[in-house]
């Protein structure tokens, strides 16, 4: 009996020690998924295990799940909290909201930085044709067909109060799924729908947001709601997200998520600092920034260079044998080189698997780095004199041994020169990676160009030039270390 | 007659140019046979056919009774040493590494390799301190001595020399000729030497094979060629190298 009790206590202790993962919920739309993924990443970076329960439904389901402790965290909007959860007839300040939710053991994080309010949207062509700019303008067009989400139809800050406030009484108002609504709008089956102001589709479908001229929509500042009982480090990790996402950045993250259908990837973009539009992390010193840019820059260059070497040398070996395949290899790698780097990046972005990421930058740099390596490998091998080749054959060395022990070492100097050319080109070209959010020394150069700020440009340009010189020197040193002495006589 | 190498009806053409008309040739074991003739007569082609750098259009080459073919050539090459005019030394390897390349490739024990290297250096009168030099740091004569060491490293049955002294100045050349003769005799080495120098041929060869226009014109000693020329070309060739012919 006693031992059973001890076992029980021990078991309980072990269960408590192996901390339960923090459950994160999300509503069934892109932004909510992305924010939940960001929270998950932030928690795991802080050392807290977490799980993401994707797309659990609408506000009430999520709120009930949080209140009852089935989930511990989910992203929410201040307006929704006031209207839907606290059912307040008037707008509430964040402090009031905090005080109200604290009563049920729920805390509200600091505002993430963007306001995702409701808006009514129309196609640009339709709005211009009917000369509609504001929601009030809709009154003059009773024949307009409305297609709004079911949630918007029934919300306290949704369709009915809006229609009352603006005195709209259209005969045709349909509830329609959010995603399908955009399609319906595009095909002209409806004229007006509700949307969120950070929705990626607004840009994608070329829609216009109607001005809320009577100031009906409340503020929908994004926050995380979380159980007061979650552990302090998880709490701290969530609070650290405060003020880090503005509207353009959120639209970008949403667009990335919708394009790739991969919410974790969009969240990754947030952590990789994929947006230069957001204010740089507060208080980051120049040294810290330079370290971050340079290490990223080197990372992009080194990975792409390594790939170019691994692929380029074998291609060069094949190309050195001439024939149709050899010509094709040289022609294709040369053709890639003629594509302007900016265009190459732009071409890769819409390709699945690439998108707005370091991966795309690495792929582009790899393609650029290929030609010098392939060409120099081929030339270096072709330049080996016939008597040397025949001597190697006549000795009885196998083809593989001839390549490894004789031909490649003899061509090594030319090959290394190709790798050097490729590395220097890549250091320069990698500054363009910032255009697709891949970071590196292009980040200050591009934001400096946008701001017409020479000091910022130089913060990127000078280190990039220094890096290029260092790469030159490194390769000169490698030449001395790696190239057999007999070839340098 | 004990022949190590035989060419039976071997011919080779490059496009419309006949490099070697169908030819019968035998090379005696333990002896030095010299192939001589004007440029383009086919003497180097014979050597390249034997070492498998060229494949005959007709006929067969056999070494020690084995017909040379695609599947055995790699193994046969390890029983042959081949030296060309400029040596064909690998510039990225030291003299030592050039000489021991094949022995190491065949994973022979390094201690054996070192003693073999010392033997070869003594045999070819190559200074031991030169072994750690790269070909670019050696004189022309020293380079040819290294090439010879490399060719002899695996104690080949057959040594093939394609104008090995062609690019050397006369003094160095004379010294190397003396050393080669001594080496061949000491080793009892079966050797085929290609040269265009009749004096060299007479000095080194047990037998001279005179070629012209892809054909063997006459075989024998220098005195046979001088006293019983097969045709006018033989006399003409000998007269062109008057110093030797008149001796």
């Amino acid at each position: 009996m006693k031992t059973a009790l001890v076992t029980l206590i021990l078991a309980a202790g072990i269960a408590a020690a192996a901390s339960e993962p923090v459950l994160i919920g999300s509503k069934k739309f892109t932004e909510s998924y992305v924010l939940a993924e960001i929270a998950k990443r932030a928690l795991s970076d802080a050392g807290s295990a977490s799980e993401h329960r994707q797309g659990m439904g609408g506000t009430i389901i999520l709120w009930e799940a949080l209140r009852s402790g089935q989930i511990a965290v989910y992203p929410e909007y201040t307006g929704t909290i006031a209207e839907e959860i606290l059912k307040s007839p008037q707008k509430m300040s964040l402090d009031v909201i905090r005080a109200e939710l604290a009563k049920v053991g729920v805390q509200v994080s600091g505002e993430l930085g963007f306001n995702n309010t409701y808006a009514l949207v129309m196609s640009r062509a339709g709005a211009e044709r009917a000369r509609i700019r504001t929601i009030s303008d809709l009154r003059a067009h009773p024949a307009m067909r409305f297609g709004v989400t079911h949630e918007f139809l029934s919300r306290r800050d949704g369709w009915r109060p809006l229609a009352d406030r603006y005195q709209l009484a259209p005969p045709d108002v349909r509830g329609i799924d959010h995603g399908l609504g955009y399609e319906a709008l595009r095909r002209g089956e409806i004229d007006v729908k509700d949307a969120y102001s950070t929705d990626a589709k607004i840009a994608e479908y070329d829609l216009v947001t109607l001005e809320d001229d009577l100031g009906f929509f409340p503020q929908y500042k994004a926050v995380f709601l979380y159980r007061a009982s979650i552990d302090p480090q998880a709490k701290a990790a969530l609070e650290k997200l405060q003020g880090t996402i503005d509207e353009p950045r959120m639209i970008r993250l949403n667009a990335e998520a919708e394009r790739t259908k991969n919410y974790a990837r969009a969240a990754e973009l947030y952590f990789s600092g994929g947006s230069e539009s957001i204010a740089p992390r507060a208080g980051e010193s120049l040294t810290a920034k330079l370290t971050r840019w340079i290490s990223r820059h080197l990372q992009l260059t080194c990975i792409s260079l390594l790939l170019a070497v691994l692929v380029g040398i074998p291609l060069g070996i094949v190309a050195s044998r001439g024939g149709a395949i050899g010509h094709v290899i040289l022609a294709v790698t040369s053709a890639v080189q003629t594509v302007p780097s900016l265009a190459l990046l732009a071409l890769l972005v819409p390709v699945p698997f690439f998108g707005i990421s370091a991966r795309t930058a690495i792929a582009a740099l790899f393609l650029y780095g290929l030609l010098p390596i392939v060409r120099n490998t081929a030339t270096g091998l072709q330049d080996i004199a016939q008597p040397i080749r025949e001597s190697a054959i006549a000795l009885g060395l196998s083809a593989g041994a001839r390549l490894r022990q004789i031909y490649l070492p003899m061509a090594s100097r030319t090959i290394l020169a190709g790798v050097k050319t490729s590395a220097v080109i890549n250091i320069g070209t990698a500054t363009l990676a910032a255009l697709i959010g891949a970071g590196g020394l292009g980040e200050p150069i591009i934001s400096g160009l946008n701001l017409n700020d020479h000091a910022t440009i130089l913060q990127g340009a000078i280190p990039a030039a220094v890096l290029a010189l260092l790469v030159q020197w490194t390769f000169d040193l490698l030449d001395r270390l790696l190239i057999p002495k007999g070839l340098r006589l | 007659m004990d022949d190590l190498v035989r060419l039976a009806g071997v011919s080779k053409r490059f496009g419309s140019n006949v490099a070697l008309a169908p030819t019968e040739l035998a090379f005696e074991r333990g002896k030095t046979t010299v192939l001589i003739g004007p440029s383009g007569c086919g003497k180097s082609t014979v050597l390249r056919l034997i070492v498998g750098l060229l494949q005959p259009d007709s006929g067969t080459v056999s070494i020690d009774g084995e017909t040379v073919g695609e599947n055995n050539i790699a193994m046969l090459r390890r029983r042959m040493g081949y030296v060309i005019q400029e040596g064909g030394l690998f510039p990225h390897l030291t003299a030592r590494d050039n000489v021991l390349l094949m022995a190491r490739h065949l994973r022979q024990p390094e201690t054996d390799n070192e003693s073999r290297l010392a033997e070869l250096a003594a045999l070819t009168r190559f200074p031991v301190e030169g072994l750690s030099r790269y070909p670019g740091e050696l004189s022309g004569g020293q380079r040819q001595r290294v090439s010879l060491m490399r060719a002899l490293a695996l104690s080949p049955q057959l040594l093939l020399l394609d104008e090995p002294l062609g690019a050397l100045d006369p003094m160095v050349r004379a010294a190397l000729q003396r050393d080669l003769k001594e080496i061949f005799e000491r080793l009892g080495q079966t050797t085929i030497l290609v040269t265009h120098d009749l004096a060299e041929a007479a000095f080194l060869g047990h037998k001279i094979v005179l070629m012209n226009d892809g054909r063997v014109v006459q075989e024998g000693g220098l005195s046979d060629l001088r006293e019983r020329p097969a045709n006018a070309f033989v006399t003409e060739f000998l007269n062109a190298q008057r110093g030797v012919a008149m001796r």
Side-chain angles (χ1 to χ4, degrees):
Chain A
M1 187 61 204
K2 217 174 185 177
T3 42
L5 199 66
V6 170
T7 315
L8 204 69
I9 291 166
L10 273 178
I14 289 162
S19 67
E20 290 268 305
V22 178
L23 292 183
I24 305 165
S26 60
K27 298 194 199 178
K28 197 177 162 301
F29 59 90
T30 304
E31 194 173 273
S32 194
Y33 283 112
V34 173
L35 290 174
E37 282 296 335
I38 289 174
K40 182 179 166 193
R41 200 27 217 279
L43 289 178
S44 86
D45 285 355
S48 303
S50 60
E51 268 176 37
H52 177 192
R53 297 285 152 85
Q54 290 192 350
M56 295 169 66
T59 304
I60 296 309
I61 295 173
L62 269 295
W63 169 249
E64 286 304 327
L66 182 71
R67 209 167 59 95
S68 63
Q70 292 169 46
I71 58 171
V73 184
Y74 85 91
E76 193 48 282
Y77 303 89
T78 51
T80 313
I81 300 169
E83 299 281 334
E84 293 297 298
I85 296 171
L86 300 174
K87 315 229 186 292
S88 156
Q90 68 253 356
K91 291 169 187 173
M92 295 173 95
S93 75
L94 195 58
D95 287 339
V96 176
I97 289 173
R98 283 209 164 101
E100 284 299 316
L101 295 190
K103 293 177 190 164
V104 288
V106 170
Q107 292 192 352
V108 186
S109 76
E111 290 168 357
L112 300 181
F114 66 91
N115 178 20
N116 182 2
T117 187
Y118 271 108
L120 292 187
V121 295
M122 294 181 70
S123 74
R124 186 173 298 282
E128 275 168 9
R129 207 180 314 118
R131 301 217 173 133
I132 294 171
R133 206 176 51 76
T134 67
I135 297 176
S136 295
D137 291 344
L138 287 171
R139 268 202 299 274
H141 299 273
M144 285 286 166
R145 293 158 301 168
F146 285 70
V148 297
T149 55
H150 297 282
E151 182 164 9
F152 189 69
L153 262 184
S154 53
R155 284 174 75 102
R156 293 173 57 88
D157 58 347
W159 171 249
R160 241 162 265 286
L162 174 85
D164 284 349
R165 181 73 178 276
Y166 279 97
Q167 312 247 297
L168 301 173
D172 189 354
V173 179
R174 272 180 284 171
I176 187 166
D177 173 79
H178 192 57
L180 295 178
Y182 282 111
E183 268 309 297
L185 199 58
R186 191 179 64 77
R187 288 199 300 264
E189 291 166 1
I190 59 171
D191 300 303
V192 183
K193 87 172 245 67
D194 60 323
Y196 311 108
S197 57
T198 53
D199 203 325
K201 295 273 193 336
I202 293 175
E204 191 184 319
Y205 286 90
D206 195 25
L207 305 178
V208 290
T209 306
L210 302 185
E211 190 192 319
D212 178 18
D213 50 327
L214 297 184
F216 169 78
F217 290 122
Q219 296 271 295
Y220 286 86
K221 302 281 187 60
V223 293
F224 281 104
L225 295 185
Y226 57 86
R227 305 277 317 158
S229 57
I230 64 172
D231 67 276
Q233 67 180 14
K235 222 176 267 191
L238 290 175
E239 292 298 346
K240 253 175 72 183
L241 300 172
Q242 176 176 355
T244 59
I245 311 175
D246 59 7
E247 272 90 348
R249 189 174 200 187
M250 195 63 234
I251 289 178
R252 192 107 65 95
L253 297 178
N254 286 338
E256 179 68 6
E258 299 208 3
R259 199 185 56 75
T260 61
K261 311 288 179 220
N262 184 339
Y263 306 105
R265 253 187 55 56
E268 238 172 76
L269 194 63
Y270 167 86
F271 286 96
S272 63
S275 164
E276 58 274 9
S277 70
I278 193 96
R281 287 157 226 191
E284 194 180 13
S285 69
L286 180 60
T287 326
K289 280 192 288 187
L290 278 175
T291 311
R292 178 162 60 83
W293 290 329
I294 291 173
S295 59
R296 187 50 184 263
H297 206 85
L298 285 176
Q299 192 190 351
L300 293 174
T301 315
C302 290
I303 296 174
S304 58
L305 188 66
L306 187 70
L307 290 173
V309 168
L310 289 178
V311 175
I313 290 179
L315 283 180
I317 292 170
V318 176
S320 74
R321 293 175 187 160
I325 297 174
H327 281 114
V328 167
I329 290 172
L330 287 174
V332 169
T333 46
S334 302
V336 169
Q337 199 82 354
T338 64
V339 179
S341 34
L342 208 51
L344 187 62
L345 285 175
L347 285 173
L348 285 175
V349 165
V351 176
F353 174 80
F354 289 115
I356 311 269
S357 69
R359 205 148 46 182
T360 309
I362 288 168
L365 292 175
F366 156 74
L367 289 172
Y368 273 110
L370 221 44
L371 179 65
I373 297 173
V374 171
R375 197 184 41 205
N376 277 35
T377 304
T379 312
L381 291 173
Q382 283 164 349
D383 282 352
I384 294 170
Q386 195 60 21
I388 295 280
R389 291 174 183 279
E390 294 192 344
S391 289
I393 296 169
L395 271 177
L397 285 173
S398 64
R402 291 200 294 269
L403 187 64
R404 277 193 312 278
Q405 297 184 32
I406 312 293
Y407 304 157
L408 283 178
M410 282 187 69
S412 60
R413 206 168 193 198
T414 317
I415 296 173
L416 190 68
V419 177
K420 173 172 152 183
T421 308
S422 173
V424 174
I425 290 176
N426 272 7
I427 291 280
T429 315
T431 54
L432 292 175
L435 284 174
I436 55 164
L441 287 165
E443 231 174 76
I445 293 176
I446 286 161
S447 61
L449 282 174
N450 288 338
L451 302 168
N452 199 18
D453 172 1
H454 294 275
T456 309
I457 294 175
L458 289 177
Q459 285 176 9
I462 293 172
V466 171
L467 273 191
L469 281 175
L470 284 176
V471 165
Q472 290 259 24
W473 290 335
T474 308
F475 274 91
D476 290 346
L477 190 69
L478 282 180
D479 183 88
R480 229 165 293 164
L481 294 176
L482 296 181
I483 302 303
K485 181 168 168 268
L487 295 179
R488 285 184 278 114
L489 291 172
Chain B
M1 197 87 121
D2 183 15
D3 296 326
L4 181 64
V5 183
R6 270 176 188 285
L7 271 66
V10 172
S11 70
K12 183 71 189 175
R13 56 167 63 227
F14 299 110
S16 62
N17 177 32
V18 177
L20 191 67
T23 297
E24 308 292 326
L25 256 180
F27 299 90
E28 197 179 342
R29 208 182 284 270
K31 296 289 162 68
T32 299
T33 307
V34 180
L35 298 172
I36 195 168
S39 296
C41 70
K43 56 193 192 294
S44 288
T45 302
V46 171
L47 231 52
R48 293 156 66 81
L49 283 163
I50 295 170
V51 80
L53 289 171
L54 295 175
Q55 278 73 48
D57 294 336
S58 70
T60 56
V61 176
S62 59
I63 297 169
D64 210 5
E66 254 187 275
T67 300
V68 176
E70 193 124 344
N71 44 355
N72 63 355
I73 185 64
M75 293 312 295
L76 285 172
R77 279 176 184 144
R78 292 175 189 174
R79 287 154 55 188
M80 294 186 239
Y82 181 62
V83 177
I84 55 177
Q85 185 169 349
E86 293 289 353
L89 291 178
F90 305 125
H92 64 294
L93 300 177
T94 60
R96 165 183 278 104
D97 293 342
N98 262 286
V99 173
L100 296 180
L101 184 67
M102 268 319 279
R104 286 178 179 157
H105 184 65
L106 300 174
R107 298 183 195 287
Q108 295 187 354
E110 199 60 19
T111 47
D112 295 5
N113 289 344
E114 279 305 315
S115 57
R116 178 70 183 145
L117 195 63
E119 241 174 76
L120 289 166
L123 184 70
T124 59
R125 296 175 197 271
F126 184 82
V128 175
E129 64 273 15
L131 287 171
S132 49
R133 301 223 174 97
Y134 289 94
E137 298 170 316
L138 300 172
S139 69
Q142 286 176 324
R143 279 205 287 271
Q144 290 310 81
R145 288 178 199 272
V146 175
S147 298
L148 189 63
M149 283 199 276
R150 188 173 72 183
L152 292 172
L154 297 182
S155 307
Q157 265 185 307
L158 175 64
L159 188 60
L160 305 168
L161 307 173
D162 194 351
E163 306 222 25
L165 311 179
L168 302 177
D169 70 67
M171 299 279 288
V172 178
R173 189 171 174 142
L176 258 164
Q177 282 168 345
R178 279 193 300 276
D179 290 347
L180 281 179
K181 191 175 171 86
E182 195 189 323
I183 291 166
F184 298 161
E185 274 165 12
R186 194 185 308 172
L187 299 177
Q189 180 70 51
T190 311
T191 304
I192 306 175
L193 171 75
V194 164
T195 182
H196 57 259
D197 177 0
L198 193 56
E200 188 169 292
F203 181 67
L204 290 172
H206 296 100
K207 184 169 97 173
I208 295 173
V209 176
L210 178 60
M211 295 183 70
N212 187 36
D213 236 355
R215 289 167 205 283
V216 174
V217 181
Q218 190 169 359
E219 298 180 44
L222 179 61
S223 56
D224 296 326
L225 270 65
R226 199 156 35 193
E227 287 151 25
R228 290 177 290 280
N231 59 28
F233 169 78
V234 180
T235 313
E236 194 189 334
F237 185 81
L238 262 58
N239 285 341
Q241 307 204 18
R242 204 167 295 119
V244 183
M246 293 304 154
R247 204 157 45 196

